[in-house]
Amino acid sequence: VPAATPAASARSRNPRGQGERLRQELIDAASQLLVDTRADEPLSLRAVARGAGVAPQSVYLHFAGKGDLVAAVVADRFAAMTRAGDAAEATAGDPVDKLRARCLAYCEFGLRHPGHYRLLFDSRATGQLDPPAFPSPAGAAAYTAFLAAVQRCIQAGRAPADDAAAVTASLWAGLHGIVALRWSKPGFPWPAVGQLVERMLAGLVGIQHRPGPDEHPP
Amino acid sequence: VPAATPAASARSRNPRGQGERLRQELIDAASQLLVDTRADEPLSLRAVARGAGVAPQSVYLHFAGKGDLVAAVVADRFAAMTRAGDAAEATAGDPVDKLRARCLAYCEFGLRHPGHYRLLFDSRATGQLDPPAFPSPAGAAAYTAFLAAVQRCIQAGRAPADDAAAVTASLWAGLHGIVALRWSKPGFPWPAVGQLVERMLAGLVGIQHRPGPDEHPP
DNA sequence: TGTACATCAGTGAACGCGCGTTCACTGATGTAC
DNA sequence: TGTACATCAGTGAACGCGCGTTCACTGATGTAC
């Protein structure tokens, strides 16, 4: 529990004409608060204001209310996740390696930033959204990138022909389970993330697994 | 938002010697509150007391505090889920049919009682536990039942020999994804639960899919 | 070159609310003698 | 058979807290004339 004094007490007001800066500062403060949130408490407008070093009312200068603020944070974090997935995919050349890289980037994002991941994919958190409109454009973009990666594998002959949308949905479900259950049940003896991802790729997409240098088959 | 008046205003006090009844009444009231909870708000001790028709202080007659109450609700709901899974498995004779029945029962429990499922498997909810000890005996029992079902399939020759623990972990992850993402992204065009479960069984466990009477292959 | 004024980036103070928890109390029911 | 007492199942009243939101205000900075 942080002290009652603002975290950024040294903040000075933005220069005239730069008032919009506070908007991003508030989004960043909310992201920072969520980074390692394990508790069940919803994001608090007053905590965000404290994190940004401003009074609670100042949030209303840029957002219509708490729901609007949360929606902006969701959009910001979805963009960050999409960027991470695209960057990972770009480092691979092969369609299979691209799909694998995107899957691993998805899991890594979720495991490194559990609060952000939950904000995007946990229904308790997405229930904070105002209005609760689904699917969001950002969420649809994340799915579309996976679908394209799966389709490329099929077209390259690296995966059997199948209903690509259904394959992608099952793959997404598998990846979500890998991430979400690991946070939910940290005491469970989970296999390595890489091994689980490989099982999903082999079993759900149908990709043949070629053991790499750091794989040790029994 | 319910009215400020208690939901069960007609409640009369339990007869002498039957004070323990209130304990279960409180657990039931909490379960009822969670049944269709979509919001991000944590379970509230005062709301539980209102639901049971007693004053907030009465909770302390049976529980040390909010955390203790939540832990009791978790144990109660885990028991209900285990019962549902066991009952579903008992209706099937074949090892594969037993495993499938348990998987479908798992998904059905999660989809019919999202608030209960989240209490057991969402880290935001499990984070309410006091103390946050994992794995809980009840959670371990749920996993063990799945592991046994997978092992029976392997021993019966209905699934290829593999690391049964790793197979079960990946299957669990897949089932969790089927349930959790469906609540998180209700606007997404999800395939039918049965089809996704069949994909998980075929791909992750290695069970051969034989089309049933209500399956319509393209 | 000075001055009145508009704009901008915020803040001071307060509102009513629900929360978890504590302390002292009540009133019915059983039991000892 | 009557009565004092213990036990039991709760409640009355209050505490301090953080929450989202509203209204009026401040003080610095730029602009028109």
Side-chain angles (χ1 to χ4, degrees), chain B:
Chain B
V1 179
T5 56
S9 53
R11 183 180 193 272
S12 56
R13 80 168 48 187
N14 281 316
R16 200 183 166 91
Q18 302 297 313
E20 287 299 310
R21 278 192 204 166
L22 178 57
R23 185 187 158 87
Q24 190 61 42
E25 290 175 37
L26 288 166
I27 292 174
D28 292 345
S31 285
Q32 192 58 37
L33 282 174
L34 285 169
V35 153
D36 50 2
T37 292
R38 305 213 183 189
D40 195 34
E41 288 118 33
L43 188 63
S44 139
L45 181 147
R46 296 183 89 105
V48 171
R50 276 194 301 272
V54 296
Q57 319 87 281
S58 301
V59 174
Y60 293 87
L61 295 170
H62 298 285
F63 301 99
K66 185 189 170 185
D68 194 29
L69 168 63
V70 172
V73 178
V74 166
D76 187 79
R77 292 297 91 199
F78 246 130
M81 188 180 200
T82 301
R83 262 183 274 121
D86 290 350
E89 202 177 75
T91 65
D94 193 78
V96 168
D97 290 340
K98 278 182 183 294
L99 176 59
R100 179 184 291 114
R102 185 171 283 278
C103 290
L104 290 172
Y106 182 98
C107 292
E108 192 181 359
F109 181 91
L111 294 171
R112 288 169 68 101
H113 314 295
H116 297 170
Y117 185 83
R118 272 198 299 258
L119 181 68
L120 302 181
F121 294 108
D122 252 31
S123 56
R124 288 178 82 87
T126 54
Q128 284 186 84
L129 285 177
D130 182 32
F134 291 107
S136 67
Y143 165 76
T144 302
F146 268 106
L147 178 63
V150 167
Q151 282 172 326
R152 266 186 268 112
C153 289
I154 294 175
Q155 283 161 9
R158 302 292 302 277
D162 196 348
D163 178 352
V167 167
T168 305
S170 68
L171 176 63
W172 184 16
L175 296 176
H176 178 70
I178 291 172
V179 173
L181 278 186
R182 199 171 286 254
W183 282 114
S184 171
K185 308 292 177 190
F188 186 81
W190 293 105
V193 172
Q195 189 203 137
L196 288 171
V197 167
E198 216 59 51
R199 282 182 180 274
M200 301 289 173
L201 288 174
L204 300 176
V205 186
I207 285 173
Q208 297 301 316
H209 180 220
R210 293 170 301 178
D214 53 354
E215 292 272 350
H216 303 281

Side-chain angles (χ1 to χ4, degrees), chain A residues 15-215:
Chain A
R16 199 183 167 91
Q18 301 297 313
E20 286 300 309
R21 277 193 206 168
L22 178 57
R23 185 187 158 87
Q24 190 61 41
E25 290 175 36
L26 288 166
I27 292 174
D28 292 345
S31 285
Q32 192 58 37
L33 282 174
L34 286 169
V35 153
D36 51 1
T37 292
R38 303 212 183 190
D40 195 35
E41 287 119 34
L43 188 64
S44 141
L45 181 146
R46 296 183 89 107
V48 171
R50 275 195 300 272
V54 296
Q57 321 86 282
S58 302
V59 174
Y60 293 86
L61 296 170
H62 298 285
F63 301 99
K66 185 190 170 185
D68 194 28
L69 168 63
V70 172
V73 178
V74 166
D76 186 79
R77 292 297 90 198
F78 246 130
M81 188 181 200
T82 301
R83 261 183 273 120
D86 290 350
E89 201 178 76
T91 65
D94 193 77
V96 168
D97 291 340
K98 277 183 183 293
L99 176 59
R100 179 183 291 113
R102 186 172 280 278
C103 290
L104 289 172
Y106 181 98
C107 292
E108 192 180 0
F109 181 91
L111 293 171
R112 288 171 68 101
H113 313 296
H116 297 170
Y117 185 83
R118 273 198 298 258
L119 181 69
L120 302 182
F121 294 108
D122 252 32
S123 56
R124 288 178 82 88
T126 54
Q128 284 186 87
L129 285 176
D130 185 30
F134 292 106
S136 68
Y143 166 76
T144 303
F146 268 106
L147 178 62
V150 168
Q151 282 173 326
R152 266 186 269 112
C153 290
I154 294 175
Q155 283 161 12
R158 302 292 303 276
D162 196 347
D163 179 351
V167 168
T168 305
S170 67
L171 176 63
W172 184 16
L175 296 176
H176 179 70
I178 291 172
V179 173
L181 277 187
R182 199 171 287 253
W183 282 114
S184 171
K185 307 293 177 191
F188 186 81
W190 292 106
V193 172
Q195 190 204 135
L196 288 172
V197 168
E198 216 60 51
R199 283 181 178 274
M200 301 290 175
L201 288 173
L204 300 176
V205 187
I207 285 174
Q208 297 302 316
H209 180 221
R210 292 170 301 179
D214 52 354
E215 294 271 350

